[in-house]
């Protein structure tokens, strides 16, 4: 290994376990000399074992925000932070791994030896494979887990979308960003030729992107390097790692764990890539544990795990669900046989008038979907419906199109308040209004708070634009609020000449462009090097961009100040805060306002005449009083209440006369 060659390994941890010492030792034996660990900012302090390792100079730690409601996103968030560290360096190699993933090398002793032998390589992507012990034992011994790991599955790990996974070793200082599997974004050096290899040392297919690689067998060579994922070194270890799951989610987690165990019982290929490195790894473990503080924290962690298994974990519903089921199944060749748990009965339907009818051939967990009336939008486009259209389900998003008016298309984007709605009856944003007007509707639905910073949804929208989907309409209106308002502006460049309606939008969450933005932690951690990331740039080709915001709400106002152009119409909604769409809706103005946008009759004068209707809102009264007090106008504040009551009486009298 070159004397001063830096090899940076980044990972993330929620609750470090004793096997983390072995994970560090394994990679130090392969030439890693710098390890950075991201911890959840929900922790009050660095866990004792990690703190001891950091004090000994073996790791670095930093806290980052994790979305606790969406654990699968933690690794993506950590990868984004890892890329920032990688981009700030000028030499050496970087690798990002999950805490149960281990680099394996077939022909070289260390990672620098391999990369130097390949010469002038900029990135190498190695496939991820699952490894198991020959027989999964129930007994858990806290500490090292790799000693018996000598078998692997036949194929690279599936990523859940029909493709397969990999991890990439990258030359530091070249890429501004990364996903867990590979770096992304425009290279800083502007190299005209990038040498990107697979785990066999052969060129990766071009372009260097997920869609190109996923289904191409040439992407997954592993003769030089691969990544070993060890999801279940023992049954109790597997359960220990998942012991922090809430009891209410134990059944779903149990099903996932049993699926892993079923895979472990299937056909294996003997592979000593992990077990074969035991001697060098053990030597590193012994060196690490020579530091008294590390040894003390390590042994304390082992004792804590043993106690958790003996007392706490066995009381957990997840633990009981899996182990009890293993006890019910006769062993095969001396090893426990694992089968799927029975699916629990479906919860009672909330509507007593229309109880769920359990279909005799449909599992109970799908009974509600199978027997409930379908949502209105599905009525329109299902095979027997009256409309043409489609539903496209992507990994984190969905697209719904309903063809009604051949001349006018309304494009809507979800906001963050919708993302956790997984109900069968979920409707596209503004569905009722668009349907009532008879307009064609193209809805972009999000399942996470990502500000549409996902290559898959961006590629799909661009492909639709390139194929002429939007251009066949005479008029296209793009609308949304907050995250959806950002998207309406950011993707307007795909439809030159469109009209945009954005409530309280962000212009971007790119930290370099808006360093003052401190809201939306999940959004700020996304990949803002992807296309359509700065709405202030993307709106230039739109015909009109109507932006409704509260000028008294500073965080939104700063974003609005970044929007420039003769096509931008800024409309103020005082005292709405970040909820201008809610404010306008409560004043019963949202439908007439939307209609004026579609009809292209909305002007500033027309808007403010319409906005006078907000004066009857108690929200407006309280905000006006508060504003007067804050600015020292106490006398004015006292006049607001009587004036508001007088106006309400006039409105009631007028309504009675009209009736």
């Amino acid at each position: 290994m070159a004397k001063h060659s830096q090899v940076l390994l980044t990972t993330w941890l929620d609750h470090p376990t004793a096997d983390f010492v072995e994970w560090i030792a394994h990679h130090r034996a392969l030439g890693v000399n710098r390890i950075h660990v991201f911890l959840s900012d929900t922790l009050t302090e660095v866990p004792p074992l990690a703190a001891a390792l950091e004090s000994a100079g073996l790791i670095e730690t930093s806290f980052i925000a994790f979305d606790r409601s969406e654990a699968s996103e933690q690794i993506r968030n950590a990868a984004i932070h890892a890329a920032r560290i990688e981009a700030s360096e000028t030499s050496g190699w970087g690798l990002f791994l999950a805490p149960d993933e281990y680099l394996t090398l077939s022909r070289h002793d260390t990672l620098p030896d391999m990369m130097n032998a390949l010469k002038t390589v900029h990135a190498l992507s190695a496939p991820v494979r699952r490894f198991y012990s020959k027989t999964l034992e129930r007994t858990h011994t806290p500490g090292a887990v790799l000693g018996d790991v000598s078998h692997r599955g036949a194929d690279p790990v599936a990523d859940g979308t029909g493709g397969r996974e990999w991890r990439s070793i990258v030359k530091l200082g070249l890429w501004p960003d990364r996903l867990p599997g590979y770096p992304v974004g425009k290279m800083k050096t502007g190299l005209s030729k990038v040498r990107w290899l697979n785990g066999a040392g052969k060129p990766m297919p071009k372009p260097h992107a997920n869609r190109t690689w996923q289904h191409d067998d040439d992407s997954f060579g592993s003769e030089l390097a691969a990544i070993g994922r060890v999801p279940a070194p023992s049954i109790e270890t597997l359960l220990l790692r998942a012991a922090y799951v809430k009891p209410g989610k134990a059944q779903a987690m149990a099903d996932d764990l049993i699926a892993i165990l079923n895979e472990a019982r299937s056909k294996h290929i003997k592979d000593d890539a992990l077990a074969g490195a035991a001697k060098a790894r053990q030597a590193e473990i012994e060196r690490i544990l020579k530091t008294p503080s590390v040894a003390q924290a390590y042994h304390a962690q082992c004792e804590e795990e043993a106690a958790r298994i003996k007392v706490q974990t066995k009381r957990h519903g997840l633990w009981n669900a899996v182990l009890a089921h293993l006890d019910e199944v006769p062993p095969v060749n001396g090893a426990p046989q694992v089968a799927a748990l029975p699916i629990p009965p479906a919860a009672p339907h909330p509507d007593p008038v229309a109880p769920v009818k359990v279909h005799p051939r449909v599992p109970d967990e799908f009974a509600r979907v199978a027997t409930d009336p379908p949502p209105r939008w599905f009525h329109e486009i299902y095979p027997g419906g009256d409309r043409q259209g489609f539903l496209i389900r992507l990994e984190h998003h969905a697209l719904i199109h309903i063809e009604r008016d051949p001349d006018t298309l309304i494009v809507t984007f979800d906001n963050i308040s919708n993302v956790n709605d997984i109900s069968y009856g979920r409707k596209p944003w503004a569905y009722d209004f668009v349907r009532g007007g008879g307009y064609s509707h193209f809805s972009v639905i999000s399942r996470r708070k990502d500000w549409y910073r996902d290559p898959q949804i961006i590629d799909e929208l661009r492909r639709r634009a390139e194929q002429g989907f939007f251009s066949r309409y005479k008029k296209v209106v793009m609308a949304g609020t907050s995250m959806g308002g950002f998207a309406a502006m950011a993707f307007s460049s795909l439809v030159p000449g469109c009209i945009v309606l954005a409530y309280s939008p962000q212009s971007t969450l790119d930290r370099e462009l808006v360093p003052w933005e401190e809201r939306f932690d999940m959004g700020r951690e996304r990949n803002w090097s992807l296309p359509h990331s700065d709405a202030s740039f993307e709106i230039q080709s739109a015909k009109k961009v109507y932006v409704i915001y509260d000028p008294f709400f500073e965080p939104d106002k700063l974003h609005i100040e970044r929007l420039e152009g003769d096509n931008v119409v800024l409309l103020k909604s005082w005292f709405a805060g970040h909820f201008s769409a809610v404010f306008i809706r409560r004043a019963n103005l949202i439908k007439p306002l939307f209609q004026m946008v579609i009809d292209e009759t909305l002007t500033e004068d027309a808007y403010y005449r319409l906005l006078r209707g907000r004066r009857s809102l108690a929200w407006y009264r309280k905000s006006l009083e508060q504003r007067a007090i804050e600015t020292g106008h106490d006398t004015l504040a006292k006049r607001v209440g009587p004036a508001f009551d007088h106006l309400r009486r006039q409105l009631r009298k007028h309504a009675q006369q009209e009736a």
Side-chain angles (χ1 to χ4, degrees):
M1 177 173 137
K3 185 176 181 180
H4 300 294
S5 179
Q6 176 179 208
V7 182
L8 168 65
L9 173 61
T10 48
T11 190
W12 63 272
L13 282 176
D14 195 353
H15 298 278
T17 52
D19 60 317
F20 185 54
V21 169
E22 183 187 37
W23 187 90
I24 293 173
H26 175 85
H27 292 102
R28 284 174 61 86
L30 295 182
V32 171
N33 50 25
R34 181 182 173 192
I35 298 175
H36 192 103
V37 181
F38 297 109
L39 301 168
S40 170
D41 62 359
T42 59
L43 297 173
T44 57
E45 60 183 3
V46 178
L49 178 57
L53 291 166
E54 185 169 27
S55 296
L58 295 167
I59 65 171
E60 310 161 2
T61 67
S62 60
F63 292 96
I64 63 173
F66 287 150
D67 185 352
R68 308 300 297 176
S69 65
E70 194 171 358
S72 62
E73 287 305 299
Q74 293 184 7
I75 190 171
R76 288 176 177 258
N77 298 338
I80 292 171
H81 283 275
R84 292 172 185 158
I85 299 177
E86 293 174 348
S88 67
E89 301 295 331
T90 57
S91 64
W93 302 99
L95 174 64
F96 176 82
L97 295 176
D100 63 349
E101 295 174 350
Y102 301 79
L103 174 66
T104 67
L105 304 177
S106 301
R107 300 179 184 174
H108 298 87
D109 292 332
T110 70
L111 187 153
D113 288 345
M114 180 183 72
M115 300 306 280
N116 291 335
L118 294 172
K119 297 180 181 179
T120 65
V121 62
H122 301 109
L124 181 146
S125 295
V128 177
R129 300 178 183 274
R130 283 198 179 96
F131 279 73
Y132 302 96
S133 59
K134 185 176 182 181
T135 58
L136 283 175
E137 299 295 335
R138 291 265 301 262
T139 302
H140 171 83
T141 302
V145 298
L146 298 182
D148 296 324
V149 177
S150 60
H151 288 69
R152 64 172 171 85
D155 298 315
V157 175
D159 66 357
T161 65
R164 293 164 289 179
E165 286 190 66
W166 52 85
R167 298 287 182 257
S168 297
I169 302 163
V170 301
K171 194 170 182 62
L172 296 176
L174 294 187
W175 279 277
D177 216 330
R178 69 145 64 237
L179 296 174
Y182 59 97
V184 295
K186 186 176 181 181
M187 295 178 68
K188 287 187 173 183
T189 60
L191 290 173
S192 58
K193 188 175 182 179
V194 179
R195 191 158 183 252
W196 196 320
L197 307 180
N198 66 10
K202 298 178 181 179
M204 290 289 279
K206 292 183 179 180
H208 296 140
N210 184 45
R211 280 191 160 188
T212 305
W213 295 349
Q214 272 188 336
H215 307 286
D216 192 328
D217 290 339
D218 290 338
S219 301
F220 292 91
S222 59
E223 287 83 350
L224 293 180
I227 305 299
R229 180 178 296 166
V230 186
S234 75
I235 294 174
E236 289 182 337
T237 303
L238 181 65
L239 291 165
L240 181 68
R241 290 177 178 175
Y244 298 92
V245 66
K246 294 180 179 179
K249 296 183 178 179
Q251 179 65 43
M253 180 65 77
D255 292 343
D256 292 340
L257 300 186
I258 285 175
I260 293 175
L261 294 173
N262 277 332
E263 181 179 331
R265 302 299 180 196
S266 62
K267 294 181 179 179
H268 306 96
I269 295 175
K270 185 170 177 58
D271 190 328
D272 292 324
L274 287 173
K279 186 176 181 179
R281 185 167 55 239
Q282 184 59 37
E284 270 303 323
I285 291 175
E286 292 173 0
R287 273 192 286 270
I288 291 172
L289 295 181
K290 282 183 179 179
T291 303
S293 60
V294 175
Q296 181 179 357
Y298 173 75
H299 292 304
Q301 181 67 36
C302 290
E303 291 176 1
E304 191 275 336
E305 289 177 23
R308 180 178 292 277
I309 289 173
K310 186 176 181 180
V311 182
Q312 292 176 277
T313 314
K314 289 189 177 181
R315 294 176 181 173
H316 197 283
L318 173 63
W319 181 272
N320 292 324
V322 176
L323 293 190
H325 185 69
L326 291 175
D327 290 337
E328 295 174 2
V329 182
V332 177
N333 296 327
Q337 178 67 14
V338 183
L341 284 178
I343 299 172
H349 195 278
D351 182 2
V353 178
V356 172
K357 176 184 177 182
V358 179
H359 195 284
R361 288 183 296 276
V362 178
D364 290 351
E365 67 176 299
F366 302 114
R368 179 182 59 80
V369 173
T371 60
D372 274 3
R376 294 289 295 275
W377 61 264
F378 186 76
H379 267 295
E380 296 190 74
I381 62 171
Y382 88 109
D386 297 328
R387 308 288 184 187
Q388 295 184 58
F390 56 76
L391 164 65
I392 297 177
R393 179 67 166 89
L394 305 177
E395 183 177 8
H396 300 296
H397 303 85
L399 303 172
I400 296 174
H401 175 237
I402 305 169
E403 181 74 14
R404 301 188 189 104
D405 182 349
D407 294 330
T408 304
L409 175 69
I410 311 299
V411 181
T412 61
F413 295 86
D414 276 355
N415 56 37
I416 57 176
S417 65
N418 302 125
V419 298
N420 292 322
D421 183 0
I422 59 173
S423 66
Y424 186 45
R426 178 174 175 177
K427 294 187 294 187
W429 192 81
Y431 170 78
D432 291 331
F433 169 79
V434 178
R435 181 177 181 274
Y439 305 113
S440 295
H441 196 174
F442 183 76
S443 172
V444 185
I445 292 177
S446 181
R447 281 287 296 115
R448 62 180 189 176
K449 305 169 186 176
D450 65 358
W451 269 252
Y452 303 95
R453 302 299 84 210
D454 182 277
Q456 192 181 37
I457 185 61
I458 293 173
D459 288 349
E460 186 65 29
L461 291 173
R462 297 179 97 175
R463 184 173 68 83
R464 294 277 163 189
E466 291 168 0
Q467 293 177 347
F469 174 79
F470 301 108
S471 60
R472 62 189 176 90
Y473 293 94
K474 293 180 180 179
K475 182 184 295 183
V476 176
V477 178
M478 308 182 81
T481 178
S482 188
M483 181 178 83
F486 157 78
M489 296 193 300
F491 292 108
S492 64
S493 59
L494 295 177
V495 193
C498 70
I499 300 170
V500 176
L501 173 61
Y503 291 93
S504 305
Q506 299 79 48
S507 59
T508 183
L509 294 182
D510 187 329
R511 294 175 187 269
E512 294 185 2
L513 297 176
V514 291
W516 37 262
E517 177 59 88
E518 297 180 348
R519 303 171 294 169
F520 314 119
D521 286 345
M522 283 302 298
R524 289 188 293 143
E525 302 308 325
R526 299 297 175 181
N527 181 3
W528 290 90
S529 67
L530 293 171
H532 305 280
S533 287
D534 186 359
S536 67
F537 173 77
E538 303 291 341
I539 59 176
Q540 296 176 10
S541 62
K543 184 176 182 180
K544 284 288 184 182
V545 181
Y546 297 100
V547 182
I548 300 175
Y549 73 107
D550 181 354
F552 294 151
F553 189 64
E554 191 69 12
D556 282 356
K557 179 184 175 184
L558 292 173
H559 281 287
I560 303 311
E561 290 175 349
R562 298 189 68 243
L563 307 179
E564 298 179 351
D566 295 337
N567 60 342
V568 178
V569 181
L570 303 181
L571 303 173
K572 300 175 181 178
S573 179
W574 296 275
F575 309 120
H578 184 61
F579 306 101
S580 57
V582 178
F583 187 77
I584 296 294
R585 184 173 68 248
R586 289 190 181 177
N588 296 318
L589 305 176
I590 199 161
K591 289 184 178 181
L593 180 60
F594 207 157
Q595 191 63 58
M596 293 171 74
V597 170
I598 296 171
D599 296 340
E600 299 184 64
T601 59
L602 183 62
T603 63
E604 290 188 51
D605 288 342
Y607 170 78
Y608 290 115
R609 286 197 303 270
L610 189 67
L611 195 63
R612 287 171 62 86
R614 78 193 188 286
R615 294 179 300 162
S616 62
L617 283 179
W619 179 344
Y620 181 70
R621 169 191 172 174
K622 293 177 182 178
S623 299
L624 192 59
E625 287 176 331
Q626 185 65 29
R627 179 71 177 179
I629 293 171
E630 290 174 353
T631 55
H633 296 88
D634 293 347
T635 302
L636 178 60
K638 293 177 182 178
R639 294 168 55 187
V640 170
F644 178 83
D645 292 337
H646 176 69
L647 176 62
R648 293 288 291 266
R649 287 194 297 270
Q650 284 187 320
L651 291 173
R652 283 197 298 268
K653 183 178 179 181
H654 179 71
Q656 291 170 357
Q657 290 174 346
E658 289 290 324

